């Protein structure tokens, strides 16, 4: 039985008191949330007469704001741009209404001519149904039962039979009829007029409307701004894509119906395009009209069959090809949330609610993503998984569903590799298991986890076997330092090493003490890897290393300290622990082991390769003339901006020549680096440059902790910089060749999010634009542009800050 850390003892009275208090608070919170939700739903329902026009107006404002903004950027005053867009939309709607009205009038004129065809077809259908068939017996039985029921209902009751009375209303005068029609049409016309006026005013002063929303949201301006921008971008993209999808459906439908010969083809194409704005039921309703006309026009069945085939083919193409291609993840809503939202909004606001369900739910999703108080909305409505991959695997294991855990793991390995899976997901599963082991897990959960992990690792070894021969002598022996979680991590590491061509085996779970080591057989292994998940592994690891050294003086020891504090990862701690290497990840363990086995080969394999087009790349660099130093001041300014934006201590702009790395822009000083008298970094050999990997791999490189990356941890030149974090985005010239990198560096390890990586790449494109712009063009652009803008994204970027904002 492995020695497990003991949990602190808690008195039963404390448990009961805490649980009661927590339960009472939870009940109060749940009750308050239910009451608030009920009040909100009641307000939405009873205030629909006011809220529906406002929602429609906001939706139209989102759709029309991009063209208004485009006209304003062309130099038109906002009043003129707004008026031009509104007049264009109204004229287009009126013109389309006139054309469609003419189509409706022509069809109405021809309807009497279709009467004989309809009667003939119905007569033929009636005769076919009366002919002897398979269901004659069933139909007769139904008719017999119906007659019996009717005969019983027709029996007179006691007393006189009541007489039917028909109330004939008083006929209205022409004036009363006209007034009633006017009253019925006045309400929708007035609502439409109010919506148009609101849209015009909102477009005219969109900035003030945005400011009022920011004030209503309150709190953090950054989160509120992100919420408004994300909502606008998602809704605008959704509406644009829906218009493209609907037009892409309506135009082929009208053309196909015209070729088939269905009257009013343009009308039915427009109806089909418009009705697709109504989710789910709109396409079905739109298909009824052309099918009914085809049935009425043609005396045969060919036109009807061709019409049905056309609609079915267009629906299949639109639903399975066009919509997934154009929509993508523009809304960010899950399929279930879309259906649930459609039901809810339809119940509250009727058919209009069904049309507005997706945009309104997108607004709720964005609020949930950016406001901590509404984070549950993101979980309920979003398309992103509610649990990350490690949590999903861990949950499947404790639910005794190892098969699904294996399926999830196999899917993730197909996306990357075995080593990447163990490094990013496998170890995280074990870390989550170690945290929950004594806090929430029961004995049954622990047994399920152990059995499930055995099944998972065995299946992964069978699916992704190592390329080594079975007779290969083991080079590495992986041992769990204290308990079963440690042993499982050692088993993962052994499989990763074997998959990378290093013969490795793992030992079953045990406690590494004197008795265990006395019976241990290294099986000829030269390297022992001790795995520890405990956050305080210093004492047991030191004892284990000393005992191993005492018995096997020549063995090399690697300590895998998965949860070690930073103070245990220094060179002084390594010497105290009497180990050859300390690693914190599977990938680092593989790289360190390769260096121990064959240092020269491992170092050569980890060097950045030279691109095949390196000669062309160097020629492109020299053609820019940036090495002459003429753009030094502008590039220093861009480096300073990058350091301020990412809140890092240093940012540099580098170029990679044939043999050297040159620093053409720099922000901040590196005290221990090789610099000149002004603090400017001097050129360094290309083989020692981190940016050389950016050039070689043709992509952005992010190193969260340089000391934990064997490619750079032993680089003496980089050690002089005294930096732990590096992120470099390629400087890509117009012909696609990479001439250098925009790099941000910091003295502390950190993680860069995906959106931050995209922002760094955008700023790298600005650097390329500065390098490749001539002096005359730069002077002209400065005179014509009122504010600095991103050369890639066309967005305004912040001007020089007075001081760096602290990271939130």
């Amino acid at each position: 039985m492995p020695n497990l850390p003991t949990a602190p003892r808690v008195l039963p009275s404390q448990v009961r008191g805490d649980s009661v208090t927590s339960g009472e608070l939870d009940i109060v919170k749940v009750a308050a949330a239910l009451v608030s939700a009920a009040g909100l739903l009641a307000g939405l329902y009873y205030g629909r007469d006011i809220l529906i026009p406002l929602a429609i107006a906001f939706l139209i404002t989102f759709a029309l704001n991009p063209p208004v903004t485009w006209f304003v950027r062309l130099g038109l005053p906002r009043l003129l741009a707004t008026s031009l867009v509104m007049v264009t939309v109204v004229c287009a709607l009126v013109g389309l209404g006139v054309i469609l009205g003419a189509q409706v009038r022509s069809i109405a004129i021809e309807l009497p001519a279709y009467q004989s065809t309809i009667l003939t077809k119905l007569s033929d259908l009636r005769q076919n149904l009366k002919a002897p068939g398979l269901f004659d017996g069933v139909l007769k039985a139904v008719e017999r039962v119906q007659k019996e029921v009717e005969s019983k209902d027709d029996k007179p009751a006691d007393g006189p039979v009541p007489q039917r009375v028909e109330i004939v209303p008083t006929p209205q005068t022409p004036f009363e009829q006209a007034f009633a029609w006017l009253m019925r049409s006045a309400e929708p016309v007035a609502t439409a007029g109010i919506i148009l006026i609101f849209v015009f005013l909102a477009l005219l002063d969109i900035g003030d409307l945005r400011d009022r929303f920011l004030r209503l949201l309150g709190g953090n301006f950054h989160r509120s701004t992100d919420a408004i921008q994300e909502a606008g971008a998602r809704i605008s993209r959704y509406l644009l894509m829906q218009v493209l999808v609907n037009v892409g459906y309506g135009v082929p439908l009208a053309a196909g119906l015209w070729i088939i010969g269905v009257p009013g083809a343009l009308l039915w194409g427009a109806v089909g395009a418009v009705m697709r704005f109504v989710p789910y039921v709109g396409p079905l309703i739109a298909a009824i009209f052309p099918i009914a006309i085809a049935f009425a026009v043609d005396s045969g069945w060919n036109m009807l069959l061709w019409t049905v085939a056309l609609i079915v083919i267009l629906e299949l193409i639109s639903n399975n090809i066009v919509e997934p291609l154009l929509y993508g993840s523009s809304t960010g809503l899950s399929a279930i949330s879309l259906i649930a939202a459609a039901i809810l909004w339809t119940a509250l606001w009727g058919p209009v609610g069904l049309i507005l369900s997706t945009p309104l739910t997108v607004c709720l999703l964005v609020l949930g993503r950016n406001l901590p108080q509404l984070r549950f909305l993101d979980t309920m409505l979003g398309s992103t998984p509610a649990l990350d991959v490690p949590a999903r695997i861990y949950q499947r294991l404790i639910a005794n569903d190892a098969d699904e855990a294996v399926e999830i793991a196999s899917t993730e390995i197909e996306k990357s590799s075995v080593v990447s899976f163990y490094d990013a997901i496998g170890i995280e599963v074990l870390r989550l298991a170690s945290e929950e082991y004594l806090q929430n897990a029961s004995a049954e959960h622990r047994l399920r986890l152990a059995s499930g992990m055995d099944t998972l690792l065995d299946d992964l070894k069978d699916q992704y076997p190592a390329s080594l021969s079975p007779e290969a002598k083991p080079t590495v022996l992986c041992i769990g330092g204290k308990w079963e979680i440690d042993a499982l991590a050692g088993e993962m590491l052994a499989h990763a090493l074997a998959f990378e061509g290093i013969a490795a085996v793992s030992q079953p779970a045990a406690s590494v003490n004197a008795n265990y080591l006395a019976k241990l057989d290294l099986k000829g292994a030269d390297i022992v890897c001790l795995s520890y998940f405990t956050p305080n592994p210093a004492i047991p690891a030191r004892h284990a290393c000393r005992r191993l050294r005492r018995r096997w003086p020549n063995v090399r020891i690697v300590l895998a300290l998965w949860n070690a504090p930073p103070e245990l990862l220094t060179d002084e701690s390594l010497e105290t622990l009497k180990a050859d290497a300390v690693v914190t990840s599977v990938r680092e363990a593989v790289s360190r082991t390769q260096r121990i086995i064959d240092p020269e080969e491992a170092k050569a394999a980890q060097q950045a390769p030279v691109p095949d087009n390196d000669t062309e790349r160097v020629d492109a660099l020299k053609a820019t003339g940036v090495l002459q130093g003429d753009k030094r001041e502008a590039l220093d300014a861009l480096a300073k901006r990058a350091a301020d934006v990412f809140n890092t201590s240093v940012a540099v702009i580098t170029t990679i020549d044939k043999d050297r790395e040159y620093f053409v822009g720099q922000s901040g000083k590196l005290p221990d680096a090789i610099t000149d008298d002004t603090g400017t970094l001097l050129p360094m050999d290309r083989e020692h440059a981190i940016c050389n990997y950016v050039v070689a791999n043709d992509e952005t490189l992010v190193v969260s902790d340089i000391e934990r990356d064997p490619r750079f941890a032993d680089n003496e030149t980089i050690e002089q910089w005294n930096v732990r974090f590096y992120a470099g985005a390629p400087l890509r010239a117009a012909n696609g060749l990479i001439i250098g990198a925009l790099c941000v560096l910091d003295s502390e390890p950190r993680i860069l999010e995906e959106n931050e990586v995209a922002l760094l790449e955008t700023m790298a494109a600005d650097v390329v634009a500065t390098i490749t712009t001539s002096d005359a063009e730069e002077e002209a652009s400065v005179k014509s542009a009122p504010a600095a803008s991103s050369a890639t994204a066309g967005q305004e970027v912040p001007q020089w800050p007075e001081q760096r904002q602290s990271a939130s």
Side-chain angles (χ1 to χ4, degrees), residues 234-479:
R234 286 186 180 274
I235 294 177
S236 298
R237 175 177 169 77
Y238 168 74
L239 293 176
L240 176 61
M241 293 301 103
Q242 191 171 35
V243 169
L244 293 178
V245 169
N246 294 359
V247 171
Y249 176 87
V251 172
L253 178 62
L257 293 177
W258 179 76
I259 295 174
I260 294 173
V262 177
L266 180 61
L267 172 63
W268 309 131
V271 171
V274 172
M275 289 303 296
R276 289 185 71 85
F277 282 99
V278 182
Y280 311 114
V281 298
L284 297 178
I285 297 175
I288 295 175
F289 300 103
I291 292 175
I293 292 295
F295 175 81
V297 172
D298 189 11
S299 58
W301 299 95
N302 290 333
M303 182 179 291
L304 176 63
L305 295 177
W306 279 109
T307 302
V308 172
L310 173 65
I311 293 175
V312 170
I313 292 174
L314 288 178
E315 285 291 340
L316 291 176
I317 295 175
S318 179
N319 294 335
N320 297 287
I321 299 177
V322 179
E323 289 185 7
L325 182 63
L326 291 180
Y327 282 143
S329 58
S330 59
T331 62
L333 298 172
S334 64
I336 296 178
S337 65
L338 283 172
I339 297 175
I343 296 174
L344 175 63
W345 289 109
T346 303
L348 292 174
W349 289 356
V352 178
L354 180 60
I355 298 175
L356 300 177
S357 61
T358 299
L360 292 176
T361 311
V362 167
C363 293
L364 295 178
L365 172 66
V366 172
L367 290 177
R369 286 184 174 177
N370 292 278
L371 298 181
Q373 301 86 347
L374 302 177
R375 191 62 52 85
F376 69 94
L377 292 175
D378 184 24
T379 303
M380 294 174 56
L381 305 175
S383 59
T384 55
L387 299 176
D388 57 13
V389 177
R392 290 173 60 200
I393 294 178
Y394 176 73
Q395 190 277 329
R396 295 336 184 247
L397 292 175
I398 63 174
N400 205 21
D401 192 359
D403 292 336
E404 188 172 353
V406 172
E407 183 179 350
I408 296 173
S410 301
T411 302
E412 294 300 321
I413 292 176
E414 294 297 329
K415 297 178 182 178
S416 54
S417 66
V418 172
V419 177
S420 298
F421 169 77
Y422 285 143
D423 190 50
I425 299 175
I427 295 298
E428 291 300 321
V429 173
L430 297 182
R431 182 173 287 113
L432 183 59
S434 66
E435 294 172 354
E436 297 288 329
Y437 202 86
L438 292 177
Q439 295 180 5
N440 300 313
S442 64
E444 185 177 1
H445 290 148
R446 297 167 191 160
L447 178 59
R448 290 178 179 178
L449 174 68
S451 302
M453 285 301 304
D454 290 339
T455 303
L456 173 64
L457 295 178
D458 289 341
D459 284 0
L460 293 183
K461 291 176 185 177
D462 293 338
Q463 292 184 33
Y464 308 96
S467 57
L468 299 172
S469 62
E471 296 80 12
K473 174 185 174 183
T475 304
V476 182
L477 181 63
C478 299
I479 304 174

Side-chain angles (χ1 to χ4, degrees), residues 55-103:
I56 296 175
F58 277 114
L59 190 63
I60 297 175
T61 302
F62 276 119
L64 298 183
N65 187 52
V68 171
T69 304
W70 183 73
F71 279 121
V72 170
R73 289 177 178 174
L74 292 180
L76 292 179
R78 191 163 191 91
L79 176 61
L80 180 59
T82 303
S83 303
L84 181 61
V85 170
M86 293 292 295
V87 169
T88 302
V89 170
V90 172
C91 291
L93 292 177
V94 171
L96 183 62
V98 171
I99 296 175
L100 297 182
Q103 294 265 307

